[in-house]
Amino acid sequence: MHENFQIKNLEEYFKIYRKSVEYPNAFWEEIAEKNFVWREKWKTIMSGDFESTNIKWFEGAKLNITENCIDRHLDKQGDKTAIIFEPNNPDEKTEHISYNNLSKRVNKFANILKQKGIKKGDRVCIYLPMIPELAISVLACARIGAIHSVVFAGFSSQALSTRINDSKCKLIITSDGSYRGRKTINLKEIVDEALNDCSCIEKVLVVNRINAKINMESGRDEWVEPLLNKASDICEPEIMEAEDPLFILYTSGSTGKPKGMVHSTAGYMVYTAYTFKNIFQYNENDIYWCTADIGWITGHSYIVYGPLANGATTVMFEGVPNYPDYGRFWEIIEKNKITQFYTAPTAIRALAKENLKFVEKHDLSSLKVLGSVGEPINEEAWNWYNENIGKKNSPIVDTWWQTETGGIMISPIPYVTPTIPTFATLPLPGIQPAIMNSNQEELQGNQVEGSLCIKYPWPGIARTIWGDHNRYKQTYFSTFKDMYFTGDGAKRNEVGYYRLTGRVDDVIIVSGHNLGTAPIEDAINEHPNVAESAIVGFPHKIKGNALYGYITLKNTTNNEDLLRNEINQIITEQIGPIAKLDKIQFTIGLPKTRSGKIMRRILRKIASNEISDLGDVSTLLNPEIVDEIIKRRI
Ligand code: WT7
């Protein structure tokens, strides 16, 4: 991204913002025109709207995103480090992968995929730990036009098989295992189990990470390394249409199965590259580190595509913040002279409660920008981050966005937008937020609060839900007319700054992970002794929110703890350990409306200990149950 597209002061921001609202298409066209390699230019800048939900950007253009992320940098900065790999174990060597080396490795991997019969449009599942092969295989798919579907390697075998089957992946890339702090996880075993339920997978490519002795099914499973050794390091990029899907990434919804969000090629590239350049004020020799996993959208957009499209140096960290001790993040910052550091509030809160000596041991003076993402950052965490990590010298960018938005939507621009703790501040150019009330009216002016919507398409918006465009329409475009509905609540303060106030639907953000209540309840209800369940969130010091389950049983039990363990075990198997319940209350019934709907609002209040303020319960079908639940709350 050319320097001219980096906003340098507030006045310039307002000027550009105004232009982006008045002439959105011209605004994005100039960015697209001057910052990327196109094989062919577009015929239409943008078409479609939130009514038809058939949104297209740069239609008619042809490109390959890996030419933009890799090839075009080779001439001038082939030897520059593209990826720094920090292994789980600090005694293992840090790896510096140059753009030249990345190019060769991506091409080799792409050639293997081709050999295995993968073609443009085929879906490839990637289930890998945070090792270089994860970024490489993502880019290898993009190189040949295959659609990648990365599944976070903390998900269970059932969650994995659901995702593989939903998009009918033909091939899966995994590893024998992974390292996570002191633990070793046998990923291949999880994959084998998942594949018992997946008939669409024809081939399994296995990266050797932990030297484990694993089951290799002949004809289906193959080690990647010998294949890579033989593969050519030249692979011509597949030329893609602007709107060809680049990837599918699953996110939980408030109901039913996960939603496979489909992102486009050109629009996504333009949006992630532009936002990366501005929100991190990335300059030539900076070393940028985002601690997310590539299994989430943050990793897709701001470890892989956004940074590489800018020719940046991006760090991939395999481990966890508390191994070998709570100073690991700060050690990595010092060692690599990190300039931009991007993490989640839950990590900040967990590290803030440890002894400050873990921070003070390390020289963090290289830092210029601190980022936060995934959930609202509370004031205490914001202040701790600002004082102890940024030494009040590095602006904090509290970045609000979603899997569906492709890239950051509301965020300060560091050294440009004055920050206020807990405020994501102002929309990025091209983004038009609206705050809506429950009567479908847009609240004008400042000092208003309601549901956050977006009024005009931006290039990074997900185009559909894989295999279910109707659900896409329903979920995002049916609540408010002609608006994209985010599912979040927001306030706009007296100067027009936005503050996100949390989900207004049945999604709960736990440690920055987006969890739908319905899939968790479905899992619990599979226990033979469970009659019914309701999950709500309650405030948690580290996780932001934690899960509280109200469960009614078919038969009473004399060993509640055993049952609690069994229930959490089922959740772990079906979804993953991140969805385990912190508190489980067994109850003889759930408060319901006369039409039979569970009153989650009341359950939420009880779980949060706000029992003095339950509102009117008299309209309930079974008001007496409320007292009973309060009495026995945990
Ligand atoms: C939901 C999206 C965006 C990548 C990671 C999560 C919440 C995200 C913030 C923030 C307040 C935030 C919202 C949003 N969220 N960032 N800075 N302040 N809330 O992606 O899993 O799709 O979750 O995360 O509730 O809707 P996701």
Side-chain angles (χ1 to χ4, degrees):
M1 184 79 38
H2 198 276
E3 297 304 313
N4 291 352
F5 292 85
Q6 198 172 28
I7 297 168
K8 299 276 168 24
N9 57 61
L10 200 58
E11 202 180 316
E12 192 189 353
Y13 162 80
F14 283 118
K15 204 176 106 210
I16 292 177
Y17 185 76
R18 221 170 300 127
K19 178 181 154 201
S20 80
V21 172
E22 277 171 41
Y23 309 104
N25 296 2
F27 169 76
W28 288 114
E29 179 168 44
E30 190 189 359
I31 292 172
E33 176 98 48
K34 301 207 172 136
N35 293 290
F36 302 93
V37 183
W38 302 94
R39 290 292 186 112
E40 237 170 79
K41 286 282 161 69
W42 46 90
K43 300 204 167 57
T44 322
I45 306 165
M46 201 277 283
S47 65
D49 51 41
F50 294 154
E51 179 85 59
S52 69
T53 69
N54 193 15
I55 295 148
K56 294 188 171 123
W57 283 90
F58 311 114
E59 211 185 353
K62 293 194 194 314
L63 74 156
N64 185 290
I65 197 169
T66 67
E67 276 197 315
N68 284 281
C69 288
I70 306 173
D71 303 50
R72 66 157 155 166
H73 307 311
L74 298 180
D75 256 4
K76 282 209 190 104
Q77 49 173 44
D79 294 330
K80 178 175 173 176
T81 301
I83 297 176
I84 297 178
F85 171 59
E86 274 295 346
N88 177 62
N89 183 340
D91 298 334
E92 200 183 314
K93 245 182 84 199
T94 304
E95 194 183 336
H96 290 253
I97 301 171
S98 67
Y99 273 92
N100 277 327
N101 186 249
L102 180 66
S103 166
K104 292 194 171 124
R105 290 168 74 174
V106 167
N107 287 347
K108 275 172 172 276
F109 216 115
N111 281 324
I112 299 180
L113 293 175
K114 276 191 181 168
Q115 273 167 36
K116 299 296 157 200
I118 299 300
K119 297 194 182 60
K120 177 177 174 180
D122 287 344
R123 276 78 61 206
V124 171
C125 180
I126 303 175
Y127 188 71
L128 280 172
M130 280 287 283
I131 54 177
E133 285 77 6
L134 173 49
I136 289 166
S137 55
V138 159
L139 293 161
C141 287
R143 187 81 178 167
I144 64 167
I147 302 170
H148 56 77
S149 167
V150 182
V151 177
F152 172 58
F155 273 123
S156 70
S157 62
Q158 283 193 41
L160 176 60
S161 64
T162 308
R163 287 159 176 75
I164 291 172
N165 287 330
D166 182 70
S167 48
K168 305 245 168 347
C169 296
K170 271 173 78 174
L171 181 149
I172 177 165
I173 303 164
T174 187
S175 65
D176 54 348
S178 67
Y179 296 122
R180 245 186 108 68
R182 285 177 183 82
K183 280 193 259 174
T184 321
I185 298 151
N186 296 319
L187 282 193
K188 179 61 168 53
E189 265 175 34
I190 301 174
V191 170
D192 285 342
E193 214 178 300
L195 295 191
N196 287 332
D197 300 324
C198 302
S199 54
C200 49
I201 292 281
E202 293 163 15
K203 296 276 173 213
V204 181
L205 295 176
V206 188
V207 177
N208 177 6
R209 176 60 183 133
I210 66 166
N211 281 318
K213 282 222 168 4
I214 54 165
N215 160 54
M216 293 290 279
E217 200 176 296
S218 86
R220 188 193 71 180
D221 306 353
E222 252 179 289
W223 291 101
V224 167
E225 216 179 314
L227 295 172
L228 281 174
N229 290 339
K230 279 184 282 173
S232 155
D233 59 16
I234 297 170
C235 175
E236 285 305 314
E238 183 79 31
I239 303 309
M240 308 296 286
E241 307 278 337
E243 281 294 319
D244 279 339
L246 175 63
F247 65 85
I248 301 169
L249 185 63
Y250 287 87
T251 185
S252 343
S254 44
T255 55
K257 63 176 188 177
K259 300 173 287 194
M261 304 313 305
V262 180
H263 279 283
S264 69
T265 302
Y268 175 82
M269 171 182 79
V270 169
Y271 196 67
T272 53
Y274 178 73
T275 49
F276 175 78
K277 180 75 180 174
N278 277 288
I279 290 158
F280 298 103
Q281 291 280 308
Y282 187 87
N283 291 317
E284 185 81 39
N285 295 314
D286 288 348
I287 313 280
Y288 161 89
W289 179 23
C290 164
T291 69
D293 193 291
I294 293 174
W296 310 113
I297 192 70
T298 309
H300 282 61
S301 302
Y302 299 111
I303 296 178
V304 182
Y305 289 113
L308 296 179
N310 279 282
T313 300
T314 173
V315 175
M316 276 181 77
F317 174 45
E318 183 188 30
V320 290
N322 60 354
Y323 175 78
D325 63 38
Y326 284 96
R328 189 67 196 278
F329 274 6
W330 323 128
E331 183 244 337
I332 293 176
I333 292 176
E334 175 174 18
K335 178 163 149 199
N336 295 289
K337 300 203 166 45
I338 301 291
T339 40
Q340 291 91 350
F341 176 66
Y342 191 28
T343 196
T346 185
I348 298 166
R349 288 189 296 262
L351 294 169
K353 79 175 184 8
E354 300 304 322
N355 197 314
L356 256 189
K357 74 169 202 285
F358 288 116
V359 178
E360 286 161 352
K361 268 207 311 232
H362 298 285
D363 175 7
L364 305 180
S365 59
S366 56
L367 288 170
K368 295 194 289 193
V369 178
L370 299 177
S372 169
V373 61
E375 56 185 310
I377 178 166
N378 51 306
E379 187 151 4
E380 205 183 334
W382 197 100
N383 287 331
W384 185 87
Y385 201 25
N386 182 37
E387 280 157 29
N388 297 294
I389 306 306
K391 323 284 179 197
K392 297 189 177 164
N393 249 328
S394 295
I396 295 178
V397 291
D398 176 1
T399 63
W400 173 83
W401 58 299
Q402 311 177 292
T403 305
E404 294 86 338
T405 68
I408 297 166
M409 303 283 281
I410 303 181
S411 167
I413 296 174
Y415 302 98
V416 171
T417 320
T419 56
I420 306 179
T422 78
F423 281 82
T425 74
L426 297 169
L428 269 284
I431 304 306
Q432 301 182 36
I435 293 187
M436 308 294 293
N437 70 14
S438 47
N439 295 328
Q440 296 264 335
E441 292 154 343
E442 181 179 352
L443 300 173
Q444 305 289 343
N446 290 335
Q447 289 189 296
V448 292
E449 180 169 3
S451 295
L452 181 66
C453 287
I454 311 291
K455 287 196 271 192
Y456 191 85
W458 63 101
I461 187 175
R463 303 298 197 260
T464 189
I465 292 175
W466 184 264
D468 200 348
H469 195 68
N470 217 16
R471 187 175 181 197
Y472 173 76
K473 272 185 157 166
Q474 276 300 320
T475 312
Y476 305 107
F477 307 101
S478 68
T479 319
F480 299 98
K481 193 171 157 10
D482 286 342
M483 300 254 177
Y484 166 81
F485 174 44
T486 64
D488 281 308
K491 269 182 193 169
R492 194 162 48 219
N493 80 353
E494 61 287 351
V495 297
Y497 275 15
Y498 289 84
R499 177 188 184 161
L500 278 297
T501 52
R503 299 291 305 191
V504 295
D505 57 8
D506 287 333
V507 170
I508 306 169
I509 314 269
V510 179
S511 300
H513 298 307
N514 191 330
L515 298 172
T517 52
I520 304 174
E521 289 162 6
D522 290 348
I524 298 171
N525 297 352
E526 281 187 24
H527 190 284
N529 196 18
V530 169
E532 201 177 23
S533 60
I535 304 300
V536 298
F538 70 96
H540 184 281
K541 264 195 125 90
I542 307 261
K543 302 181 189 182
N545 295 295
L547 301 177
Y548 193 118
Y550 298 90
I551 299 178
T552 59
L553 298 176
K554 291 179 180 157
N555 303 300
T556 51
T557 172
N558 49 21
N559 194 342
E560 291 199 341
D561 281 341
L562 177 69
L563 199 51
R564 286 193 178 95
N565 286 338
E566 287 173 359
I567 286 166
N568 269 330
Q569 187 56 34
I570 294 184
I571 296 174
T572 306
E573 281 161 17
Q574 299 215 358
I575 300 163
I578 49 178
K580 283 205 283 195
L581 308 184
D582 268 47
K583 293 184 182 178
I584 297 180
Q585 176 175 356
F586 296 110
T587 152
I588 51 169
L590 298 170
K592 292 193 180 164
T593 61
R594 287 179 197 276
S595 59
K597 227 179 129 202
I598 298 172
M599 283 293 275
R600 288 167 196 279
R601 181 180 56 80
I602 291 174
L603 294 176
R604 231 175 269 136
K605 289 213 158 149
I606 298 174
S608 311
N609 246 323
E610 293 168 20
I611 47 178
S612 54
D613 166 36
L614 286 183
D616 185 12
V617 300
S618 64
T619 56
L620 290 177
L621 188 68
N622 49 353
E624 70 289 347
I625 203 74
V626 175
D627 283 335
E628 167 68 22
I629 292 179
I630 291 176
K631 236 189 291 161
R632 302 193 24 152
R633 73 183 187 279
I634 298 170

